[in-house]
Amino acid sequence: MDENFDLRSEFGIDSFGEKAQREFLGEETRSRLRKVIEDGEELDPSLAEAVASGMKEWALSRGATHYTHWFQPLNGITAEKHDSFLSGIDEKGEAILSFSGKELIKGEPDASSFPSGGLRATFEARGYTAWDMSSPAFLIHEEGGAVLYVPTAFCSYTREALDAKTPLLRAMEYVSDAAVRALGNIGVAAKKVVPMVGAEQEYFLVDQEQCSRRKDLAYTGRTLFGAPSPKGQELDDHYFGPIRAKISGFMAEVNKTLWRLGVMAKTEHNEVAPSQHELASIYAPANIASDQNQLTMLVLRKVAKKHGLICLLSEKPFAGINGSGKHDNYSLVADGSLNLYKPGKDPSRNLPFVLFLTATLEAVHRYGGLVAETAMSYGNDFRLGGDEAPPSILSVYLGKGVSEVVESTLRGETLPREEREVILTGSRAIPAIYKDNSDRNRTSPFAFTGNKFEFRMVGSSANVSEANCTLSTAIGKVLGEFSDYVEKAKDKKEAAYRWIRKSLKEHRDVVFDGDGYALEWRKEARRRNLPSPASAVEAISYLSAPESRALFLKSGVYSELELRSREAIKYLSYYQEALIDARTMARMARKLLIPAANRYLAFLLSEKATGKVPLYVEETAKEIATLIDEAYRATKDLEKKAEPVKSCQPAHEKAAYAHDVLLPAMGKLRSPLDRLELLVDKRQWPLPSYGDLLFHTV
């Protein structure tokens, strides 16, 4: 990358944002487009042509040769199909380059090969990508040129959403309408309320050459075998530690690439586990934040390879140390400036804050299982509940200050206005600092952190669209019920406080500020009847619960078919991921690990045959022989259980089979092979160890 990089001049040069639009669209076209986006007016064909023409000229000026509609199908990743701007040859033999308004607005990819949960079949292949006008187009540069990426939604020929973005956009509009109405009922005028999201992306970096020797990482993105390294994260010496030179160079290129794309990458640091890191971006509207997080993951993977590294985005690539999450920071902002979760200097008298805090608590309590479901997956099941990852008990952490606001509101009182508390360190060399209105609780799945809620359950590989879709829909539902209540009253402000007190009394059980790992809390959570799905298989069932169906169908965020299809896709995905893991483990055990252990055993036995040998050889040979037999029996058992079940078997039964049968069988195979790794001569063990992977880039 250019050493003379200037952040002010280069920020956003690969994004068709405000800067590029001013130059290539002109003020009139920009104003018309902004009005369409903000007011929801229908897009005029002439405006689409003008935008497409300006977008094409901008892209060509930046070296683009192709364009693509970039979308988020229901397979957890993004999809793209490239078309060149070339459309023909004129009478002089020169290339004709075009990109029409029609091509900007709509694309037609094949929909049959994407997950649809039965919505689409091979003989019903057509699907449509439709331009998301609010999310800026951008350029991805490759060695052979650049491609213009147009963020889009993806729907079927029969109008069902086949992607993660479309329901999110519906939910954003739904919560905006409900929030504007609720604010109006307490005397606060607003035109639009936007869910703002900031995603914190955690990831691991491992040496590319070391990684290439592990088929489990190649096929599944995580290690399926591996004895603990002698050193892990016990000393807490990696978290916020000095960033190593090789990693610093990688981070610098990632930042510059993202900044040029208009992604406001803000914070980077070493995370808790060795070789683990984090990148966080400044808040953006939920759909744009989702696009930018998908783009961030793409950039992380591509840049890592250029630096001889592999970026691991799976939730638990290494057993026994911290996994990777994607903390989803969520807030609601009215008219671009009023953060409705900001307590202010006098929070107990700040009616918008108290109302939206209450509505969020009620939403998370009523739909806790559904909220948890958005974060739970096959990969995230290995992470949740330990090593700083929150448990799956859906509770809300408020902290002392905000909890006092809740209690005073329940009593019908207002707290005296307090000056912010000052922290004095006891040294004159250190200035006094102000204490925040809440502490941090790393074991809470859903925590209030000053002016936002941090949903900490979301996994590192996840698309944040689903979590923010469900949160927005649930909060919008509660706000709508609030408005239904107060609009019947003569004194709306008094009715508002009456509703708030009633809601807090009924839903305060969701608030828990203690240790989420404590056994006592698990017992208490059961007493409070809080949802605590033990696995993603259990969590997926919340999608078909009557209250979930009522929430989504009445709000219009999902149709009956869309909801049913997502449930089927999630069950099938769980089964397929487990099946791939099981097959990979069995293949590695039979073809690689057991033969390696057997060769070392043969060596020990040959030593033994020469006469008297040290006790080490005698006992090690005996232990290895026992473990090989155990591993071989476990391999045969797993191979049998990993045979595909009948295709006609319901998806939820396949997922349950994976959880109840495949996972225990995989555990039985891993145990003897991890012990064998510690007994076999390292020179003869075919896999790089955890120590090799986690500390090789030091």
Side-chain angles (χ1 to χ4, degrees):
M1 300 291 282
D2 184 5
E3 293 298 323
N4 297 316
F5 180 89
D6 180 69
L7 180 54
R8 286 172 296 186
S9 63
E10 298 214 28
F11 181 82
I13 62 171
D14 284 330
S15 169
F16 196 64
E18 287 294 318
K19 195 189 317 184
Q21 288 181 22
R22 278 197 302 271
E23 182 177 354
F24 287 89
L25 292 186
E27 188 55 41
E28 182 184 352
T29 301
R30 282 180 63 244
S31 298
R32 289 174 62 197
L33 179 62
R34 194 181 305 113
K35 189 171 179 61
V36 168
I37 295 170
E38 292 177 357
D39 298 343
E41 295 182 2
E42 188 174 344
L43 179 65
D44 184 84
S46 64
L47 176 58
E49 286 294 336
V51 174
S53 176
M55 196 181 289
K56 179 197 71 175
E57 293 306 315
W58 168 74
L60 292 173
S61 73
R62 297 283 300 148
T65 58
H66 289 69
Y67 67 90
T68 182
H69 276 195
W70 185 62
F71 57 104
Q72 302 171 17
L74 299 173
N75 57 7
I77 57 177
T78 58
E80 56 197 67
K81 175 175 71 75
H82 298 185
D83 288 294
S84 75
F85 290 112
L86 187 66
S87 62
I89 303 174
D90 64 17
E91 64 278 3
K92 296 180 181 179
E94 295 181 353
I96 300 173
L97 306 180
S98 67
F99 181 54
S100 67
K102 183 179 178 180
E103 290 169 321
L104 170 63
I105 293 171
K106 186 185 78 172
E108 295 184 56
D110 184 341
S112 66
S113 296
F114 292 106
S116 70
L119 283 176
R120 298 270 81 192
T122 302
F123 67 92
E124 299 170 314
R126 179 157 290 176
Y128 296 106
T129 50
W131 176 34
D132 176 5
M133 295 179 287
S134 63
S135 186
F138 56 89
L139 291 172
I140 294 291
H141 293 271
E142 303 287 358
E143 287 187 9
V147 177
L148 170 67
Y149 281 63
V150 180
T152 60
F154 182 39
C155 66
S156 73
Y157 186 73
T158 48
R159 297 192 302 179
E160 290 91 2
L162 297 174
D163 67 341
K165 170 172 279 194
T166 303
L168 173 61
L169 291 170
R170 294 170 183 167
M172 291 173 67
E173 293 170 7
Y174 177 71
V175 75
S176 178
D177 292 344
V180 167
R181 180 184 170 205
L183 286 170
N185 281 317
I186 59 172
V188 179
K191 293 181 179 180
K192 188 175 184 179
V193 173
V194 177
M196 300 292 286
V197 170
E200 303 173 28
Q201 181 67 56
E202 294 177 342
Y203 59 94
F204 280 84
L205 291 173
V206 295
D207 180 76
Q208 192 170 24
E209 190 277 328
Q210 297 280 353
C211 190
S212 68
R213 294 166 54 198
R214 296 202 57 131
K215 292 299 182 185
D216 49 0
L217 287 175
Y219 293 143
T220 72
R222 68 188 190 94
T223 57
L224 302 176
F225 299 102
S229 168
K231 179 180 184 293
Q233 60 191 53
E234 299 88 352
L235 298 179
D236 299 322
D237 55 344
H238 191 257
Y239 191 49
F240 282 18
I243 298 172
R244 292 161 286 169
K246 187 172 184 178
I247 304 304
S248 181
F250 158 81
M251 287 181 171
E253 184 167 353
V254 166
N255 283 330
K256 291 173 184 177
T257 303
L258 290 174
W259 290 333
R260 285 172 169 153
L261 287 163
V263 178
M264 291 186 284
K266 177 70 173 177
T267 303
E268 61 186 26
H269 60 84
N270 291 348
E271 256 298 337
V272 174
S275 289
Q276 188 185 31
H277 310 279
E278 181 179 301
L279 187 153
S281 298
I282 293 176
Y283 291 76
N287 65 312
I288 297 176
S290 174
D291 283 352
Q292 292 187 344
N293 182 249
Q294 292 292 315
L295 189 53
T296 296
M297 290 192 288
L298 174 67
V299 170
L300 285 170
R301 287 191 292 260
K302 290 179 69 171
V303 174
K305 288 184 178 180
K306 292 172 64 176
H307 288 256
L309 302 166
I310 294 293
C311 177
L312 300 178
L313 293 169
S314 59
E315 284 75 20
K316 195 74 169 180
F318 302 99
I321 59 174
N322 274 28
S324 294
K326 185 181 297 181
H327 303 165
D328 186 82
N329 295 281
Y330 181 93
S331 60
L332 289 167
V333 176
D335 294 339
S337 59
L338 176 61
N339 184 345
L340 299 168
Y341 290 140
K342 187 174 182 179
K345 296 180 178 179
D346 200 358
S348 66
R349 292 180 176 83
N350 183 346
L351 182 52
F353 167 70
V354 175
L355 169 59
F356 279 80
L357 173 73
T358 302
T360 303
L361 292 178
E362 179 172 337
V364 174
H365 191 214
R366 283 171 58 181
Y367 301 103
L370 196 59
V371 173
E373 185 279 328
T374 67
M376 298 187 73
S377 64
Y378 175 76
N380 211 16
D381 277 0
F382 297 106
R383 164 183 167 258
L384 294 175
D387 298 310
E388 293 199 359
S392 57
I393 303 170
L394 225 296
S395 64
V396 179
Y397 170 83
L398 293 180
K400 181 182 176 183
V402 180
S403 290
E404 288 176 352
V405 172
V406 168
E407 294 304 318
S408 68
T409 303
L410 279 166
R411 296 191 301 268
E413 303 171 355
T414 54
L415 295 171
R417 180 169 175 169
E418 294 184 5
E419 296 298 322
R420 292 181 65 187
E421 189 174 345
V422 176
I423 296 176
L424 299 174
T425 64
S427 169
R428 290 191 298 273
I430 301 174
I433 56 176
Y434 289 107
K435 183 183 286 190
D436 289 315
N437 55 26
S438 67
D439 200 348
R440 286 195 171 184
N441 187 335
R442 312 301 279 181
T443 69
S444 175
F446 200 85
F448 184 77
T449 54
N451 60 0
K452 64 188 185 304
F453 281 96
E454 182 181 24
F455 187 23
R456 296 177 50 82
M457 283 179 65
V458 182
S460 52
S461 68
N463 186 325
V464 297
S465 291
E466 186 184 3
N468 294 303
C469 173
T470 296
L471 281 172
S472 298
T473 307
I475 294 168
K477 167 73 171 174
V478 174
L479 290 171
E481 292 172 351
F482 163 80
S483 291
D484 291 342
Y485 180 85
V486 300
E487 285 169 1
K488 297 174 184 175
K490 290 183 179 180
D491 187 337
K492 291 186 178 180
K493 187 172 182 180
E494 192 278 331
Y497 276 110
R498 190 165 61 244
W499 182 91
I500 288 169
R501 287 192 292 272
K502 179 176 180 293
S503 176
L504 289 175
K505 184 177 180 180
E506 292 176 358
H507 300 287
R508 67 193 297 187
D509 272 355
V510 78
V511 177
F512 176 67
D513 287 354
D515 181 1
Y517 294 160
L519 181 61
E520 294 77 14
W521 166 233
R522 294 183 179 276
K523 295 176 182 177
E524 172 64 16
R526 283 195 293 272
R527 188 194 68 77
R528 297 188 190 186
N529 201 30
L530 296 181
S532 178
S535 70
V537 178
E538 183 181 336
I540 295 167
S541 66
Y542 283 101
L543 284 171
S544 57
E547 60 272 20
S548 302
R549 293 178 66 255
L551 171 69
F552 286 128
L553 300 185
K554 289 181 180 179
S555 64
V557 169
Y558 290 117
S559 69
E560 178 75 47
L561 285 175
E562 289 169 342
L563 199 55
R564 210 181 304 155
S565 72
R566 278 153 178 78
E567 183 181 15
I569 289 168
K570 285 171 176 282
Y571 279 132
L572 189 58
S573 176
Y574 187 99
Y575 166 69
Q576 289 171 335
E577 288 185 60
L579 192 63
I580 291 169
D581 277 8
R583 289 171 173 170
T584 302
M585 288 189 78
R587 185 77 58 88
M588 290 176 69
R590 183 176 284 277
K591 305 286 285 183
L592 202 64
L593 303 183
I594 292 176
N598 204 43
R599 284 192 296 271
Y600 188 60
L601 175 61
F603 165 75
L604 292 178
L605 293 176
S606 68
E607 289 286 301
K608 186 177 176 182
T610 62
K612 189 175 181 180
V613 294
L615 183 62
Y616 160 77
V617 173
E618 185 84 34
E619 294 193 352
T620 302
K622 197 177 295 184
E623 189 174 356
I624 287 176
T626 301
L627 289 172
I628 287 175
D629 287 345
E630 183 183 341
Y632 178 66
R633 287 192 295 269
T635 300
K636 288 186 69 177
D637 180 59
L638 184 58
E639 287 172 335
K640 184 177 180 181
K641 289 173 177 173
E643 293 176 1
V645 299
K646 293 179 180 178
S647 59
C648 60
Q649 190 169 348
H652 72 274
E653 291 183 7
K654 292 180 179 180
Y657 176 83
H659 180 268
D660 298 340
V661 178
L662 287 181
L663 287 180
M666 285 189 271
K668 287 181 180 178
L669 176 56
R670 177 167 185 162
S671 178
L673 287 169
D674 282 359
R675 283 182 283 161
L676 279 168
E677 180 185 342
L678 298 176
L679 294 173
V680 174
D681 188 325
K682 179 174 175 58
R683 292 166 295 182
Q684 295 191 37
W685 191 252
L687 299 181
S689 68
Y690 270 19
D692 296 331
L693 291 166
L694 293 169
F695 294 97
H696 190 80
T697 54
V698 173

